[in-house]
């Protein structure tokens, strides 16, 4: 984190997102301020609150992608949700506290994965031994006492020496077989063989519950309580050795991980580094008169307010303070304006960033420059069939031009239009790829226009296809 200066953050985001420099600078500064805050004395650290960000711009320009890449960059707990999912308390739907519960669950998964990597070597050794126990079990000595009277008065000794010799011989043979099997397992020669293993049955008794938000959460807690009351059952499964490794590794890793430490670390990470991205913020903006289908919009804003400004939310893992969680809200605000939000909520998003609509040149750069560009994705996908796809410069220009033109003539959905256009351009190639004779395909301007020319000429048709 200390190496991620605002300039470095912007440079990393540039690898995946074209343009939107103002938004990148804003999130870069916000992220760096989190590191600066952690360097402060404890008393001052508690006083420094994050500066939440409101991104304003049309769909498909990179709002969500900026937040998602930001979270990956610093390995921070991150959840993305839509404001329209929530309803005011008293209405059927999700309550706003669920966003914190989702963030905690995400953080626990992240910390558990990290802890699993720490115990990986030890867990793999345990898995190897358990595989050997299933494939080549060591014989167990049978009890020499046949009935209670032998235990009291003796007896049954005339065959003891003979039985011990037979048992020792069985053990020697089993150990020799284990050594051979162990070498084969280490060499990866038995990965496809089917074996029978015994694992814990992790299914928990379930109870039918009413599908309301609060009742759902209560049902989850009820399941957790019941999980400890019932004895752990074991079941047998017949799987391949490779699948058995995965199943047994999960079991052994969980035994080596301290669940309480994972939970405590996850909550601490949420409170200090958590990021929540609230999309469709404009859909809950506006002042209504208390009637109609949008009656809960202002109520949702009032419910979100205490979480954004700092409160304690109870989760099944314990209380979570939201004071230092970074909130990034986004919305198109075509109909409503940010000023239509209630004043208290406006004040909790002091940084406002406008994202610009994408131009033809932006589309061209999106097709070529990012590490995960669509042209690179399609080229990699079709190469698995032995098809070599080459996009020429005029082909890229034609795709960008068509995407921009369709956005202007119909609804502007930003870079998502490129998905639609490219799917139509490569439809025949993708369908015929396994059987095509000529494995070298060149996508140039003439090819693009031949695939989309008729559709572009018919405005009504292009509304439905592109």
């Amino acid at each position: 984190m200390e190496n991620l200066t605002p300039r470095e953050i912007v440079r990393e985001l540039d690898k995946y997102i074209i343009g939107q420099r103002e938004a990148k600078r804003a999130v870069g500064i916000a992220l760096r301020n989190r590191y600066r805050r952690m360097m402060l004395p404890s008393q001052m650290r508690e006083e420094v609150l994050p500066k939440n960000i409101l991104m304003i711009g049309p769909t498909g320009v990179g709002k969500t992608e900026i937040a998602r890449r930001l979270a990956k960059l610093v390995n921070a707990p991150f959840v993305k949700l839509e404001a329209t999912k929530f309803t005011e308390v008293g209405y059927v739907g999700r309550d706003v506290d669920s966003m914190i519960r989702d963030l905690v669950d995400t953080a626990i998964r992240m910390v558990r994965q990290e802890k699993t990597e720490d115990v990986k070597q030890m867990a793999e050794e345990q898995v190897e031994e358990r595989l050997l126990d299933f494939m080549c079990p060591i014989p167990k000595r049978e009890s020499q006492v046949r009935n209670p009277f032998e235990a009291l008065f003796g007896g049954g000794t005339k065959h003891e020496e003979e039985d011990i010799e037979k048992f020792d011989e069985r053990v020697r043979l089993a150990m020799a077989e284990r050594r051979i099997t162990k070498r084969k397992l280490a060499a990866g020669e038995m990965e496809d063989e089917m074996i029978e293993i015994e694992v814990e049955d992790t299914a928990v008794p379930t109870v039918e519950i009413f599908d309301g938000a609060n009742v759902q959460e209560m049902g989850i807690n009820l399941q957790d309580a019941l999980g400890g009351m019932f004895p752990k059952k074991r079941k047998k499964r017949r799987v391949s050795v490779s699948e058995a490794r995965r199943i047994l590794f999960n079991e052994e890793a969980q035994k080596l991980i301290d669940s309480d430490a994972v939970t405590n670390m996850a909550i601490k990470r949420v409170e200090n580094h958590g990021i929540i991205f609230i999309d469709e913020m404009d859909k809950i903006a506006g002042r209504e008169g208390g009637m109609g289908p949008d009656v809960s919009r202002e109520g949702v804003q009032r419910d979100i307010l205490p979480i954004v400004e700092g409160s304690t939310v109870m989760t099944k893992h314990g209380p979570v303070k939201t004071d230092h969680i970074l909130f990034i809200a986004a919305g198109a605000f075509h109909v409503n304006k940010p000023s239509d939000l209630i004043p208290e909520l406006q004040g909790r998003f002091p940084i406002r960033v406008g994202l610009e609509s994408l131009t033809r040149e932006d589309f061209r750069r999106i097709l070529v420059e990012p590490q995960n560009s669509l042209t690179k994705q399609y080229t990699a996908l079709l190469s698995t069939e032995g098809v070599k796809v080459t996009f020429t410069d005029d082909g890229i220009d034609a795709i960008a031009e068509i995407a921009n033109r369709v956005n202007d003539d119909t609804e502007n959905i930003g870079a998502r239009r490129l998905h639609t256009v490219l799917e139509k351009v490569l439809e025949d190639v993708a369908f015929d790829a396994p059987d095509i004779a000529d494995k070298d395909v060149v996508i140039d301007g003439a090819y693009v226009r031949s695939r989309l020319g008729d559709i572009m000429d018919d405005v009504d048709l292009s509304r439905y296809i592109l």
Side-chain angles (χ1 to χ4, degrees):
M1 181 74 179
E2 62 271 12
N3 296 325
L4 283 174
T5 64
R7 196 178 304 278
E8 284 294 325
I9 293 169
V10 171
R11 189 176 294 120
E12 287 295 321
L13 292 175
D14 282 341
K15 295 178 181 178
Y16 302 96
I17 302 148
I18 298 300
Q20 315 304 355
R21 183 167 180 79
E22 187 181 350
K24 292 174 184 175
R25 285 171 61 91
V27 297
I29 293 169
L31 202 63
R32 186 63 179 181
N33 281 340
R34 312 199 92 186
Y35 167 72
R36 293 165 179 159
R37 172 183 165 269
M38 298 305 292
M39 297 295 103
L40 294 174
S42 58
Q43 186 174 357
M44 178 61 73
R45 187 188 310 158
E46 290 301 313
E47 298 298 326
V48 178
L49 300 177
K51 304 300 184 289
N52 299 318
I53 301 170
L54 178 62
M55 294 185 181
I56 305 166
T59 184
V61 297
K63 299 187 297 291
T64 306
E65 190 66 13
I66 287 174
R68 185 179 289 118
R69 292 291 172 185
L70 190 70
K72 286 183 179 179
L73 201 57
V74 294
N75 196 27
F78 172 81
V79 292
K80 184 255 184 189
L81 42 90
E82 285 76 34
T84 50
K85 283 185 177 179
F86 303 114
T87 57
E88 184 180 358
V89 173
Y91 290 83
V92 175
R94 297 191 70 188
D95 63 285
V96 295
D97 288 355
S98 62
M99 69 173 77
I100 305 299
R101 294 193 286 266
D102 292 344
L103 189 62
V104 172
D105 290 339
T106 300
I108 287 176
R109 284 195 297 272
M110 289 175 60
V111 175
R112 196 174 292 279
Q113 287 176 356
E114 293 170 9
K115 294 293 185 184
T116 300
E117 285 298 316
D118 293 340
V119 300
K120 183 177 180 180
Q121 184 176 352
M122 193 180 302
E124 286 177 344
E125 292 172 0
Q126 298 288 349
V127 168
E128 202 78 10
E129 289 300 315
R130 286 188 66 180
L131 281 174
L132 290 172
D133 289 340
F134 288 127
M135 300 172 76
C136 309
I138 298 176
K140 295 181 179 179
R141 188 187 298 274
E142 295 179 3
S143 175
Q144 299 298 321
V145 179
R146 300 290 185 260
N147 57 64
F149 293 103
E150 290 184 4
L152 291 172
F153 304 110
T157 58
K158 60 181 180 180
H159 300 297
E160 273 190 18
E161 292 184 7
E162 182 180 345
D163 289 345
I164 289 172
E165 289 179 5
K166 288 182 179 178
F167 175 76
D168 290 343
E169 181 62 25
R170 287 166 57 203
V171 171
R172 281 194 294 271
L173 291 173
M175 293 302 293
E177 187 179 359
R178 281 173 76 95
R179 285 191 291 271
I180 295 170
T181 304
K182 188 173 184 176
R183 285 197 296 270
K184 289 183 177 180
L185 285 173
E189 298 175 6
M190 306 180 73
E191 296 302 297
D192 296 328
E193 289 196 18
M194 302 298 291
I195 61 171
E196 190 176 77
I197 62 174
E198 192 178 59
V199 296
E200 287 184 6
D201 187 358
T202 54
V204 179
T206 57
V207 181
E208 288 291 333
I209 56 176
F210 174 69
D211 192 24
N214 295 329
V215 182
Q216 276 183 352
E217 184 64 24
M218 186 173 66
I220 294 170
N221 292 332
L222 181 63
Q223 288 187 8
D224 292 343
L226 291 176
M229 290 169 57
F230 290 88
K232 289 185 178 180
K233 295 181 179 179
R234 302 192 71 81
K235 62 179 180 180
K236 292 185 177 181
R237 292 183 60 184
R238 186 165 181 80
V239 295
S240 65
V241 170
S242 59
E243 178 67 8
R245 282 185 191 277
R246 185 188 65 81
I247 296 170
L248 296 176
F249 177 81
N250 289 336
E251 274 195 11
E252 293 301 322
Q254 296 312 311
K255 292 177 185 177
L256 296 169
I257 294 172
D258 184 349
S259 296
D260 290 337
V262 168
T263 301
N264 292 336
M265 189 179 296
I267 290 177
K268 186 177 179 181
R269 190 173 293 186
V270 164
E271 292 180 340
N272 291 288
H273 303 289
I275 300 174
I276 294 181
F277 182 81
I278 307 176
D279 205 0
E280 308 291 356
M281 198 70 169
D282 55 317
K283 304 300 187 296
I284 63 168
R287 313 289 174 81
E288 61 278 343
M291 297 178 63
D294 295 330
V295 68
S296 67
R297 289 195 301 174
E298 190 171 328
V300 173
Q301 295 181 56
R302 288 195 301 268
D303 290 343
I304 290 176
L305 179 61
I307 294 179
V308 175
E309 67 183 3
S311 61
T312 300
V313 176
M314 292 303 301
T315 71
K316 62 182 177 182
H317 303 289
V320 178
K321 294 177 66 177
T322 67
D323 301 66
H324 300 288
I325 294 175
L326 177 64
F327 290 87
I328 302 175
F333 290 97
H334 288 312
V335 179
N336 298 320
K337 302 181 294 295
S339 58
D340 290 328
L341 294 167
I342 60 175
E344 298 88 345
L345 193 58
Q346 291 181 46
R348 293 299 169 182
F349 289 90
I351 301 176
R352 297 187 185 180
V353 183
L355 284 83
E356 301 170 355
S357 296
L358 299 175
T359 64
R360 176 182 174 279
E361 181 58 27
D362 290 331
F363 284 136
R364 191 187 190 290
R365 293 178 61 199
I366 288 169
L367 287 169
V368 178
E369 293 182 16
Q371 291 185 358
N372 61 337
S373 69
L374 288 176
T375 53
K376 293 173 184 174
Q377 291 180 31
Y378 280 102
T379 301
L381 281 172
L382 292 170
S383 68
T384 61
E385 303 273 9
V387 177
K388 182 182 178 182
V389 178
T390 304
F391 289 89
T392 64
D393 288 342
D394 64 324
I396 296 290
D397 287 337
I399 294 170
E401 173 63 35
I402 290 171
N404 188 55
R405 187 170 138 199
V406 175
N407 272 350
D408 289 341
D409 293 343
T410 59
E411 287 291 332
N412 186 355
I413 61 172
R416 294 187 179 94
R417 185 71 67 186
L418 292 172
H419 290 269
T420 309
V421 173
L422 266 173
E423 278 291 333
K424 196 64 185 173
V425 168
L426 294 171
E427 184 179 24
D428 287 348
V429 177
F431 186 83
D432 297 327
D435 312 309
I436 195 170
D438 186 4
K439 296 291 186 181
D440 291 328
V441 178
V442 177
I443 308 297
D444 55 15
Y447 183 91
V448 172
R449 284 185 286 273
S450 69
R451 295 286 301 133
L452 301 177
D454 294 340
I455 300 173
M456 289 298 300
D457 293 338
D458 191 330
V459 177
D460 291 333
L461 189 60
S462 68
R463 288 179 180 273
Y464 289 97
I465 296 179
L466 297 180

